[in-house]
């Protein structure tokens, strides 16, 4: 498969309904297909059938929601919301949480110690027209951080069953985050397989997504998302990476 770029397409069918008429619980559950190409050297595409689920109670949310497993939201003026969350981030090679992963045949990964999943805290400010988010690692006494900003462009949103929007904006990753994913310490270095020592610097890149949702009826809807980003030299100079482009995916949330 071509390594010119990779993208991830997530499509799902979701049932959204209150647990009971007298309850303030709201539950969404469904199933979807996820497919992606990896940025790592000679890594085959991964695809899998995955379940989805999100439960909300008052201002609380439980379930995988933009990297959070649990979060609490505070309503602000002008339709804005500030949400504090805790979750798991697992973006490295051979991620434990990635279903359908197939290891690379490249010798560079022989003896490579893959990064462990990270426990994270996040703060997200969302408005119908923009998104600001900061996510920080809280385990292993590390300081891996990612910050995002996006303008949300509504492409089709006229009170119709079909909604389409495009978030576009910059993403900042600090040195600790890039070192965990793409860096090679002296202890990890192995010249016999081409794994040379590498220490990346913090960098910026641009990210764009296309998110769609179609309501089949008040309880059922279809969702899909495609997203793309251009990697910087801080990533592509790593001996583990062989493409200047990358993609991300997750449940669409227009």
């Amino acid at each position: 498969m071509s390594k010119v770029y990779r993208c991830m397409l997530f499509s799902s069918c979701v049932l959204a309904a209150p647990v009971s008429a007298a309850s303030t619980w709201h539950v969404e559950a469904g199933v979807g297909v996820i497919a992606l190409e990896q940025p790592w050297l000679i890594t085959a595409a991964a695809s899998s059938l995955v379940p989805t689920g999100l439960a909300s109670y008052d201002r609380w949310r439980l379930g995988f929601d933009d990297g959070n497993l649990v979060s609490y939201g505070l309503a602000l003026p002008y339709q804005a919301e500030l949400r504090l969350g805790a979750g798991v981030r697992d973006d490295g090679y051979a991620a434990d949480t990635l279903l359908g992963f197939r290891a690379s045949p490249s010798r560079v990964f022989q003896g490579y110690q893959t990064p462990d999943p990270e426990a994270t805290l996040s703060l997200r400010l969302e408005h119908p027209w923009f998104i600001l988010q900061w996510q920080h690692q809280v385990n292993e006494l590390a300081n891996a951080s990612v910050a995002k900003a996006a303008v949300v462009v509504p492409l089709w949103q006229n009170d119709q069953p079909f909604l389409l929007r495009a978030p576009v904006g910059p993403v900042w990753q600090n040195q600790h985050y890039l070192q965990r994913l793409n860096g090679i310490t002296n202890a990890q270095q192995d010249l016999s397989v081409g794994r040379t020592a590498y220490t990346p610097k913090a960098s910026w890149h641009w990210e764009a997504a296309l998110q769609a949702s179609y309501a089949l009826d008040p309880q059922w809807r279809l969702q899909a998302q495609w997203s793309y980003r251009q990697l910087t030299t801080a990533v592509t100079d790593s001996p583990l990476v062989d493409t200047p482009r990358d993609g991300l995916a997750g449940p669409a949330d227009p």
Side-chain angles (χ1 to χ4, degrees), residues 11-46:
S11 60
S12 64
C13 186
V14 179
L15 171 65
V19 173
S20 69
S23 174
T24 56
W25 279 97
H26 184 86
V27 177
E28 296 185 5
V31 64
V33 178
I34 188 169
L36 73 133
E37 288 187 57
Q38 302 280 288
W40 319 110
L41 278 164
I42 320 176
T43 303

PDB file of all heavy atoms in Angstrom, residues 11-46:
ATOM      1  N   SER A  11     -16.731   5.163  10.512  1.00  0.00           N
ATOM      2  CA  SER A  11     -18.169   5.249  10.276  1.00  0.00           C
ATOM      3  C   SER A  11     -18.884   4.376  11.294  1.00  0.00           C
ATOM      4  O   SER A  11     -18.390   3.323  11.675  1.00  0.00           O
ATOM      5  CB  SER A  11     -18.513   4.789   8.855  1.00  0.00           C
ATOM      6  OG  SER A  11     -18.120   3.451   8.661  1.00  0.00           O
ATOM      7  N   SER A  12     -20.017   4.828  11.759  1.00  0.00           N
ATOM      8  CA  SER A  12     -20.714   4.063  12.782  1.00  0.00           C
ATOM      9  C   SER A  12     -22.208   4.308  12.696  1.00  0.00           C
ATOM     10  O   SER A  12     -22.670   5.306  12.154  1.00  0.00           O
ATOM     11  CB  SER A  12     -20.220   4.455  14.189  1.00  0.00           C
ATOM     12  OG  SER A  12     -20.521   5.795  14.466  1.00  0.00           O
ATOM     13  N   CYS A  13     -22.946   3.368  13.268  1.00  0.00           N
ATOM     14  CA  CYS A  13     -24.381   3.520  13.447  1.00  0.00           C
ATOM     15  C   CYS A  13     -24.622   3.607  14.936  1.00  0.00           C
ATOM     16  O   CYS A  13     -24.205   2.726  15.692  1.00  0.00           O
ATOM     17  CB  CYS A  13     -25.121   2.332  12.839  1.00  0.00           C
ATOM     18  SG  CYS A  13     -26.921   2.521  12.861  1.00  0.00           S
ATOM     19  N   VAL A  14     -25.246   4.678  15.409  1.00  0.00           N
ATOM     20  CA  VAL A  14     -25.355   4.972  16.824  1.00  0.00           C
ATOM     21  C   VAL A  14     -26.819   5.068  17.240  1.00  0.00           C
ATOM     22  O   VAL A  14     -27.623   5.699  16.559  1.00  0.00           O
ATOM     23  CB  VAL A  14     -24.636   6.294  17.160  1.00  0.00           C
ATOM     24  CG1 VAL A  14     -24.780   6.619  18.633  1.00  0.00           C
ATOM     25  CG2 VAL A  14     -23.162   6.213  16.775  1.00  0.00           C
ATOM     26  N   LEU A  15     -27.134   4.445  18.371  1.00  0.00           N
ATOM     27  CA  LEU A  15     -28.435   4.572  19.006  1.00  0.00           C
ATOM     28  C   LEU A  15     -28.294   5.531  20.177  1.00  0.00           C
ATOM     29  O   LEU A  15     -27.462   5.315  21.060  1.00  0.00           O
ATOM     30  CB  LEU A  15     -28.933   3.217  19.507  1.00  0.00           C
ATOM     31  CG  LEU A  15     -30.189   3.222  20.397  1.00  0.00           C
ATOM     32  CD1 LEU A  15     -31.388   3.720  19.600  1.00  0.00           C
ATOM     33  CD2 LEU A  15     -30.466   1.848  20.970  1.00  0.00           C
ATOM     34  N   ALA A  16     -29.067   6.599  20.203  1.00  0.00           N
ATOM     35  CA  ALA A  16     -29.015   7.588  21.268  1.00  0.00           C
ATOM     36  C   ALA A  16     -30.385   7.684  21.916  1.00  0.00           C
ATOM     37  O   ALA A  16     -31.376   7.968  21.249  1.00  0.00           O
ATOM     38  CB  ALA A  16     -28.603   8.953  20.716  1.00  0.00           C
ATOM     39  N   ALA A  17     -30.449   7.466  23.236  1.00  0.00           N
ATOM     40  CA  ALA A  17     -31.738   7.480  23.919  1.00  0.00           C
ATOM     41  C   ALA A  17     -31.537   7.643  25.417  1.00  0.00           C
ATOM     42  O   ALA A  17     -30.518   7.229  25.963  1.00  0.00           O
ATOM     43  CB  ALA A  17     -32.507   6.181  23.652  1.00  0.00           C
ATOM     44  N   PRO A  18     -32.516   8.253  26.128  1.00  0.00           N
ATOM     45  CA  PRO A  18     -32.455   8.288  27.587  1.00  0.00           C
ATOM     46  C   PRO A  18     -32.697   6.899  28.147  1.00  0.00           C
ATOM     47  O   PRO A  18     -33.375   6.076  27.535  1.00  0.00           O
ATOM     48  CB  PRO A  18     -33.590   9.253  27.957  1.00  0.00           C
ATOM     49  CG  PRO A  18     -34.551   9.165  26.816  1.00  0.00           C
ATOM     50  CD  PRO A  18     -33.699   8.946  25.598  1.00  0.00           C
ATOM     51  N   VAL A  19     -32.110   6.630  29.335  1.00  0.00           N
ATOM     52  CA  VAL A  19     -32.311   5.321  29.953  1.00  0.00           C
ATOM     53  C   VAL A  19     -33.778   5.122  30.311  1.00  0.00           C
ATOM     54  O   VAL A  19     -34.337   4.055  30.123  1.00  0.00           O
ATOM     55  CB  VAL A  19     -31.413   5.202  31.204  1.00  0.00           C
ATOM     56  CG1 VAL A  19     -31.719   3.920  31.954  1.00  0.00           C
ATOM     57  CG2 VAL A  19     -29.951   5.230  30.788  1.00  0.00           C
ATOM     58  N   SER A  20     -34.417   6.150  30.820  1.00  0.00           N
ATOM     59  CA  SER A  20     -35.848   6.092  31.110  1.00  0.00           C
ATOM     60  C   SER A  20     -36.401   7.505  31.067  1.00  0.00           C
ATOM     61  O   SER A  20     -35.658   8.488  31.128  1.00  0.00           O
ATOM     62  CB  SER A  20     -36.106   5.462  32.491  1.00  0.00           C
ATOM     63  OG  SER A  20     -35.669   6.333  33.518  1.00  0.00           O
ATOM     64  N   ALA A  21     -37.687   7.615  30.977  1.00  0.00           N
ATOM     65  CA  ALA A  21     -38.312   8.929  30.869  1.00  0.00           C
ATOM     66  C   ALA A  21     -38.069   9.780  32.107  1.00  0.00           C
ATOM     67  O   ALA A  21     -38.037  10.998  32.032  1.00  0.00           O
ATOM     68  CB  ALA A  21     -39.818   8.756  30.632  1.00  0.00           C
ATOM     69  N   ALA A  22     -37.914   9.115  33.273  1.00  0.00           N
ATOM     70  CA  ALA A  22     -37.736   9.850  34.524  1.00  0.00           C
ATOM     71  C   ALA A  22     -36.267  10.056  34.867  1.00  0.00           C
ATOM     72  O   ALA A  22     -35.944  10.653  35.885  1.00  0.00           O
ATOM     73  CB  ALA A  22     -38.421   9.090  35.663  1.00  0.00           C
ATOM     74  N   SER A  23     -35.371   9.560  34.044  1.00  0.00           N
ATOM     75  CA  SER A  23     -33.949   9.632  34.344  1.00  0.00           C
ATOM     76  C   SER A  23     -33.274  10.743  33.556  1.00  0.00           C
ATOM     77  O   SER A  23     -33.691  11.087  32.457  1.00  0.00           O
ATOM     78  CB  SER A  23     -33.282   8.297  34.010  1.00  0.00           C
ATOM     79  OG  SER A  23     -31.875   8.386  34.158  1.00  0.00           O
ATOM     80  N   THR A  24     -32.208  11.317  34.145  1.00  0.00           N
ATOM     81  CA  THR A  24     -31.411  12.310  33.429  1.00  0.00           C
ATOM     82  C   THR A  24     -30.210  11.667  32.749  1.00  0.00           C
ATOM     83  O   THR A  24     -29.380  12.382  32.192  1.00  0.00           O
ATOM     84  CB  THR A  24     -30.936  13.415  34.382  1.00  0.00           C
ATOM     85  OG1 THR A  24     -30.220  12.829  35.471  1.00  0.00           O
ATOM     86  CG2 THR A  24     -32.120  14.210  34.911  1.00  0.00           C
ATOM     87  N   TRP A  25     -30.102  10.357  32.815  1.00  0.00           N
ATOM     88  CA  TRP A  25     -29.058   9.649  32.081  1.00  0.00           C
ATOM     89  C   TRP A  25     -29.397   9.627  30.592  1.00  0.00           C
ATOM     90  O   TRP A  25     -30.542   9.465  30.203  1.00  0.00           O
ATOM     91  CB  TRP A  25     -28.926   8.208  32.572  1.00  0.00           C
ATOM     92  CG  TRP A  25     -28.118   8.052  33.831  1.00  0.00           C
ATOM     93  CD1 TRP A  25     -28.603   7.963  35.100  1.00  0.00           C
ATOM     94  CD2 TRP A  25     -26.699   7.965  33.927  1.00  0.00           C
ATOM     95  NE1 TRP A  25     -27.576   7.819  35.979  1.00  0.00           N
ATOM     96  CE2 TRP A  25     -26.387   7.820  35.294  1.00  0.00           C
ATOM     97  CE3 TRP A  25     -25.664   8.007  32.982  1.00  0.00           C
ATOM     98  CZ2 TRP A  25     -25.070   7.700  35.743  1.00  0.00           C
ATOM     99  CZ3 TRP A  25     -24.360   7.885  33.448  1.00  0.00           C
ATOM    100  CH2 TRP A  25     -24.075   7.742  34.803  1.00  0.00           C
ATOM    101  N   HIS A  26     -28.366   9.765  29.768  1.00  0.00           N
ATOM    102  CA  HIS A  26     -28.521   9.681  28.318  1.00  0.00           C
ATOM    103  C   HIS A  26     -27.402   8.782  27.799  1.00  0.00           C
ATOM    104  O   HIS A  26     -26.229   8.994  28.121  1.00  0.00           O
ATOM    105  CB  HIS A  26     -28.431  11.065  27.683  1.00  0.00           C
ATOM    106  CG  HIS A  26     -28.685  11.052  26.201  1.00  0.00           C
ATOM    107  ND1 HIS A  26     -29.948  11.136  25.666  1.00  0.00           N
ATOM    108  CD2 HIS A  26     -27.840  10.957  25.139  1.00  0.00           C
ATOM    109  CE1 HIS A  26     -29.870  11.103  24.349  1.00  0.00           C
ATOM    110  NE2 HIS A  26     -28.605  10.992  24.004  1.00  0.00           N
ATOM    111  N   VAL A  27     -27.749   7.771  27.035  1.00  0.00           N
ATOM    112  CA  VAL A  27     -26.774   6.775  26.590  1.00  0.00           C
ATOM    113  C   VAL A  27     -26.738   6.711  25.074  1.00  0.00           C
ATOM    114  O   VAL A  27     -27.789   6.693  24.420  1.00  0.00           O
ATOM    115  CB  VAL A  27     -27.101   5.381  27.170  1.00  0.00           C
ATOM    116  CG1 VAL A  27     -26.123   4.338  26.632  1.00  0.00           C
ATOM    117  CG2 VAL A  27     -27.061   5.412  28.691  1.00  0.00           C
ATOM    118  N   GLU A  28     -25.528   6.687  24.506  1.00  0.00           N
ATOM    119  CA  GLU A  28     -25.319   6.442  23.092  1.00  0.00           C
ATOM    120  C   GLU A  28     -24.448   5.213  22.938  1.00  0.00           C
ATOM    121  O   GLU A  28     -23.413   5.090  23.600  1.00  0.00           O
ATOM    122  CB  GLU A  28     -24.634   7.642  22.417  1.00  0.00           C
ATOM    123  CG  GLU A  28     -25.465   8.902  22.419  1.00  0.00           C
ATOM    124  CD  GLU A  28     -24.800  10.030  21.639  1.00  0.00           C
ATOM    125  OE1 GLU A  28     -23.743   9.780  21.017  1.00  0.00           O
ATOM    126  OE2 GLU A  28     -25.352  11.132  21.652  1.00  0.00           O
ATOM    127  N   ALA A  29     -24.862   4.287  22.097  1.00  0.00           N
ATOM    128  CA  ALA A  29     -24.087   3.068  21.860  1.00  0.00           C
ATOM    129  C   ALA A  29     -24.207   2.692  20.398  1.00  0.00           C
ATOM    130  O   ALA A  29     -25.231   2.936  19.756  1.00  0.00           O
ATOM    131  CB  ALA A  29     -24.604   1.927  22.743  1.00  0.00           C
ATOM    132  N   GLY A  30     -23.151   2.106  19.860  1.00  0.00           N
ATOM    133  CA  GLY A  30     -23.179   1.728  18.458  1.00  0.00           C
ATOM    134  C   GLY A  30     -21.986   0.883  18.086  1.00  0.00           C
ATOM    135  O   GLY A  30     -21.247   0.397  18.945  1.00  0.00           O
ATOM    136  N   VAL A  31     -21.806   0.710  16.793  1.00  0.00           N
ATOM    137  CA  VAL A  31     -20.688  -0.065  16.277  1.00  0.00           C
ATOM    138  C   VAL A  31     -20.194   0.613  15.007  1.00  0.00           C
ATOM    139  O   VAL A  31     -20.980   1.220  14.269  1.00  0.00           O
ATOM    140  CB  VAL A  31     -21.104  -1.529  16.002  1.00  0.00           C
ATOM    141  CG1 VAL A  31     -22.158  -1.603  14.911  1.00  0.00           C
ATOM    142  CG2 VAL A  31     -19.903  -2.400  15.657  1.00  0.00           C
ATOM    143  N   GLY A  32     -18.901   0.534  14.754  1.00  0.00           N
ATOM    144  CA  GLY A  32     -18.344   1.198  13.585  1.00  0.00           C
ATOM    145  C   GLY A  32     -17.147   0.453  13.024  1.00  0.00           C
ATOM    146  O   GLY A  32     -16.671  -0.513  13.604  1.00  0.00           O
ATOM    147  N   VAL A  33     -16.678   0.929  11.891  1.00  0.00           N
ATOM    148  CA  VAL A  33     -15.494   0.384  11.233  1.00  0.00           C
ATOM    149  C   VAL A  33     -14.429   1.462  11.193  1.00  0.00           C
ATOM    150  O   VAL A  33     -14.715   2.599  10.802  1.00  0.00           O
ATOM    151  CB  VAL A  33     -15.814  -0.087   9.806  1.00  0.00           C
ATOM    152  CG1 VAL A  33     -14.555  -0.598   9.116  1.00  0.00           C
ATOM    153  CG2 VAL A  33     -16.883  -1.190   9.841  1.00  0.00           C
ATOM    154  N   ILE A  34     -13.228   1.125  11.607  1.00  0.00           N
ATOM    155  CA  ILE A  34     -12.128   2.077  11.581  1.00  0.00           C
ATOM    156  C   ILE A  34     -11.001   1.499  10.727  1.00  0.00           C
ATOM    157  O   ILE A  34     -10.726   0.302  10.787  1.00  0.00           O
ATOM    158  CB  ILE A  34     -11.620   2.390  13.008  1.00  0.00           C
ATOM    159  CG1 ILE A  34     -10.612   3.533  12.987  1.00  0.00           C
ATOM    160  CG2 ILE A  34     -11.048   1.170  13.689  1.00  0.00           C
ATOM    161  CD1 ILE A  34     -10.271   4.070  14.360  1.00  0.00           C
ATOM    162  N   ALA A  35     -10.405   2.335   9.897  1.00  0.00           N
ATOM    163  CA  ALA A  35      -9.299   1.915   9.039  1.00  0.00           C
ATOM    164  C   ALA A  35      -8.266   3.022   8.978  1.00  0.00           C
ATOM    165  O   ALA A  35      -8.624   4.194   8.864  1.00  0.00           O
ATOM    166  CB  ALA A  35      -9.792   1.585   7.636  1.00  0.00           C
ATOM    167  N   LEU A  36      -6.995   2.675   9.071  1.00  0.00           N
ATOM    168  CA  LEU A  36      -5.966   3.691   9.026  1.00  0.00           C
ATOM    169  C   LEU A  36      -4.670   3.143   8.460  1.00  0.00           C
ATOM    170  O   LEU A  36      -4.410   1.938   8.504  1.00  0.00           O
ATOM    171  CB  LEU A  36      -5.673   4.254  10.417  1.00  0.00           C
ATOM    172  CG  LEU A  36      -4.902   3.337  11.383  1.00  0.00           C
ATOM    173  CD1 LEU A  36      -3.781   4.121  12.031  1.00  0.00           C
ATOM    174  CD2 LEU A  36      -5.828   2.774  12.447  1.00  0.00           C
ATOM    175  N   GLU A  37      -3.874   4.039   7.916  1.00  0.00           N
ATOM    176  CA  GLU A  37      -2.504   3.740   7.571  1.00  0.00           C
ATOM    177  C   GLU A  37      -1.601   4.390   8.598  1.00  0.00           C
ATOM    178  O   GLU A  37      -1.874   5.488   9.055  1.00  0.00           O
ATOM    179  CB  GLU A  37      -2.167   4.253   6.168  1.00  0.00           C
ATOM    180  CG  GLU A  37      -2.807   3.456   5.052  1.00  0.00           C
ATOM    181  CD  GLU A  37      -2.293   3.909   3.695  1.00  0.00           C
ATOM    182  OE1 GLU A  37      -1.065   3.870   3.502  1.00  0.00           O
ATOM    183  OE2 GLU A  37      -3.116   4.323   2.878  1.00  0.00           O
ATOM    184  N   GLN A  38      -0.513   3.706   8.952  1.00  0.00           N
ATOM    185  CA  GLN A  38       0.400   4.175   9.981  1.00  0.00           C
ATOM    186  C   GLN A  38       1.519   5.033   9.392  1.00  0.00           C
ATOM    187  O   GLN A  38       1.873   4.871   8.227  1.00  0.00           O
ATOM    188  CB  GLN A  38       1.025   2.957  10.680  1.00  0.00           C
ATOM    189  CG  GLN A  38       0.006   2.009  11.318  1.00  0.00           C
ATOM    190  CD  GLN A  38      -0.465   2.524  12.637  1.00  0.00           C
ATOM    191  OE1 GLN A  38       0.266   2.516  13.617  1.00  0.00           O
ATOM    192  NE2 GLN A  38      -1.686   2.988  12.670  1.00  0.00           N
ATOM    193  N   PRO A  39       2.124   5.925  10.191  1.00  0.00           N
ATOM    194  CA  PRO A  39       3.263   6.701   9.687  1.00  0.00           C
ATOM    195  C   PRO A  39       4.588   5.951   9.810  1.00  0.00           C
ATOM    196  O   PRO A  39       5.601   6.395   9.286  1.00  0.00           O
ATOM    197  CB  PRO A  39       3.256   7.937  10.591  1.00  0.00           C
ATOM    198  CG  PRO A  39       2.748   7.420  11.884  1.00  0.00           C
ATOM    199  CD  PRO A  39       1.720   6.374  11.536  1.00  0.00           C
ATOM    200  N   TRP A  40       4.571   4.817  10.510  1.00  0.00           N
ATOM    201  CA  TRP A  40       5.817   4.109  10.814  1.00  0.00           C
ATOM    202  C   TRP A  40       6.356   3.375   9.583  1.00  0.00           C
ATOM    203  O   TRP A  40       5.603   3.051   8.667  1.00  0.00           O
ATOM    204  CB  TRP A  40       5.590   3.125  11.964  1.00  0.00           C
ATOM    205  CG  TRP A  40       4.739   3.695  13.044  1.00  0.00           C
ATOM    206  CD1 TRP A  40       3.471   3.350  13.358  1.00  0.00           C
ATOM    207  CD2 TRP A  40       5.099   4.757  13.942  1.00  0.00           C
ATOM    208  NE1 TRP A  40       3.003   4.111  14.392  1.00  0.00           N
ATOM    209  CE2 TRP A  40       3.976   4.984  14.774  1.00  0.00           C
ATOM    210  CE3 TRP A  40       6.244   5.521  14.128  1.00  0.00           C
ATOM    211  CZ2 TRP A  40       3.985   5.947  15.768  1.00  0.00           C
ATOM    212  CZ3 TRP A  40       6.250   6.488  15.121  1.00  0.00           C
ATOM    213  CH2 TRP A  40       5.123   6.694  15.929  1.00  0.00           C
ATOM    214  N   LEU A  41       7.648   3.091   9.588  1.00  0.00           N
ATOM    215  CA  LEU A  41       8.306   2.428   8.472  1.00  0.00           C
ATOM    216  C   LEU A  41       7.613   1.122   8.091  1.00  0.00           C
ATOM    217  O   LEU A  41       7.429   0.240   8.924  1.00  0.00           O
ATOM    218  CB  LEU A  41       9.773   2.140   8.827  1.00  0.00           C
ATOM    219  CG  LEU A  41      10.769   3.288   8.650  1.00  0.00           C
ATOM    220  CD1 LEU A  41      12.059   2.979   9.386  1.00  0.00           C
ATOM    221  CD2 LEU A  41      11.038   3.527   7.177  1.00  0.00           C
ATOM    222  N   ILE A  42       7.233   1.012   6.835  1.00  0.00           N
ATOM    223  CA  ILE A  42       6.695  -0.228   6.235  1.00  0.00           C
ATOM    224  C   ILE A  42       5.619  -0.841   7.117  1.00  0.00           C
ATOM    225  O   ILE A  42       5.642  -2.042   7.416  1.00  0.00           O
ATOM    226  CB  ILE A  42       7.812  -1.260   5.972  1.00  0.00           C
ATOM    227  CG1 ILE A  42       9.074  -0.570   5.455  1.00  0.00           C
ATOM    228  CG2 ILE A  42       7.349  -2.296   4.953  1.00  0.00           C
ATOM    229  CD1 ILE A  42      10.240  -1.528   5.273  1.00  0.00           C
ATOM    230  N   THR A  43       4.678  -0.041   7.572  1.00  0.00           N
ATOM    231  CA  THR A  43       3.607  -0.547   8.429  1.00  0.00           C
ATOM    232  C   THR A  43       2.323  -0.688   7.616  1.00  0.00           C
ATOM    233  O   THR A  43       1.885   0.260   6.972  1.00  0.00           O
ATOM    234  CB  THR A  43       3.361   0.394   9.620  1.00  0.00           C
ATOM    235  OG1 THR A  43       4.581   0.541  10.346  1.00  0.00           O
ATOM    236  CG2 THR A  43       2.297  -0.178  10.541  1.00  0.00           C
ATOM    237  N   ALA A  44       1.727  -1.864   7.651  1.00  0.00           N
ATOM    238  CA  ALA A  44       0.502  -2.125   6.890  1.00  0.00           C
ATOM    239  C   ALA A  44      -0.685  -1.407   7.522  1.00  0.00           C
ATOM    240  O   ALA A  44      -0.677  -1.043   8.703  1.00  0.00           O
ATOM    241  CB  ALA A  44       0.236  -3.627   6.841  1.00  0.00           C
ATOM    242  N   ALA A  45      -1.706  -1.203   6.718  1.00  0.00           N
ATOM    243  CA  ALA A  45      -2.924  -0.573   7.215  1.00  0.00           C
ATOM    244  C   ALA A  45      -3.583  -1.446   8.275  1.00  0.00           C
ATOM    245  O   ALA A  45      -3.510  -2.668   8.232  1.00  0.00           O
ATOM    246  CB  ALA A  45      -3.892  -0.329   6.063  1.00  0.00           C
ATOM    247  N   ALA A  46      -4.206  -0.801   9.234  1.00  0.00           N
ATOM    248  CA  ALA A  46      -4.941  -1.503  10.285  1.00  0.00           C
ATOM    249  C   ALA A  46      -6.418  -1.187  10.142  1.00  0.00           C
ATOM    250  O   ALA A  46      -6.794  -0.052   9.869  1.00  0.00           O
ATOM    251  CB  ALA A  46      -4.442  -1.077  11.662  1.00  0.00           C
TER     252      ALA A  46
END
